[in-house]
Amino acid sequence: DRVARAIPPAALPAFKTLRAAAEAYAGAATAEVDMQGTAAPALAIEHEAKLREQFMRAVLDVIDDKLAATSHADATQLDAALNATYRQLMRAPVKQPDAPGRIGESTIDRGEIRKVERLWLAYRDAFVAFRARLPSGADPDAITALLLRQRLDELKTITLYL
């Protein structure tokens, strides 16, 4: 496949680690889809596929140096916004007394969000480590910013249930 051919041999072990982290994150992130209604399983599958597609597009964009330059300050601001949104979800008032871990009236559980967040952090770190093995490519701050934007969008979607 195009991605494997584009990766220098010295970066292949880091790519293998990155791919495993991306798969773990995408697979677990289906827990961040509200499973109410008959379309819910299809929505979870679609969500996982979207995250896998974002991963492959990001790898190609990093290798081809197609990410927009991003300052460290901008990446730091995105990180702060992500942390604030995550805290908002974790501290949200309970609306389902029989399921206190759930977000709003959804089936999305705080414990699952925490688990997915940890997997996303491993994915982010593996992506930056992969980039360090490439002879050239996108700046680490640009990679971090891209991943932060993607994750922030995921968490903001969940806040709609608050």
Side-chain angles (χ1 to χ4, degrees):
D1 84 323
R2 178 181 171 339
V3 173
R5 288 190 308 267
I7 298 171
L12 285 174
F15 179 71
K16 184 178 178 183
T17 300
L18 170 58
R19 182 175 251 169
E23 285 297 318
Y25 163 57
T30 59
E32 294 182 332
V33 175
D34 184 24
M35 295 304 288
Q36 296 181 73
T38 57
L43 294 173
I45 292 167
E46 181 181 295
H47 182 68
E48 184 176 0
K50 179 186 97 173
L51 294 176
R52 286 186 170 144
E53 175 61 31
Q54 284 178 344
F55 162 67
M56 295 309 289
R57 172 67 12 227
V59 168
L60 291 172
D61 286 350
V62 165
I63 291 169
D64 296 338
D65 197 10
K66 290 186 176 179
L67 296 181
T70 304
S71 71
H72 185 70
D74 288 343
T76 300
Q77 276 186 315
L78 285 166
D79 189 51
L82 177 76
N83 290 332
T85 304
Y86 178 81
R87 279 191 305 275
Q88 178 187 12
L89 288 168
M90 293 299 111
R91 295 176 181 165
V94 173
K95 290 190 177 177
Q96 298 181 56
D98 57 326
R102 289 188 178 171
I103 300 295
E105 297 295 332
S106 76
T107 62
I108 302 167
D109 185 81
R110 286 174 180 78
E112 292 298 319
I113 294 172
R114 190 175 299 109
K115 175 183 169 186
V116 173
E117 186 72 8
R118 288 181 180 138
L119 290 168
W120 177 82
L121 289 167
Y123 166 60
R124 180 204 59 195
D125 294 347
F127 219 126
V128 173
F130 165 69
R131 168 52 188 97
R133 302 299 238 161
L134 296 173
S136 64
D139 178 73
D141 282 327
I143 296 166
T144 300
L146 171 68
L147 300 177
L148 284 165
R149 278 187 208 94
Q150 290 172 349
R151 183 65 181 145
L152 184 57
D153 287 346
E154 299 301 320
L155 293 181
K156 282 184 176 180
T157 298
I158 298 169
T159 65
L160 298 175
Y161 294 102
L162 296 178

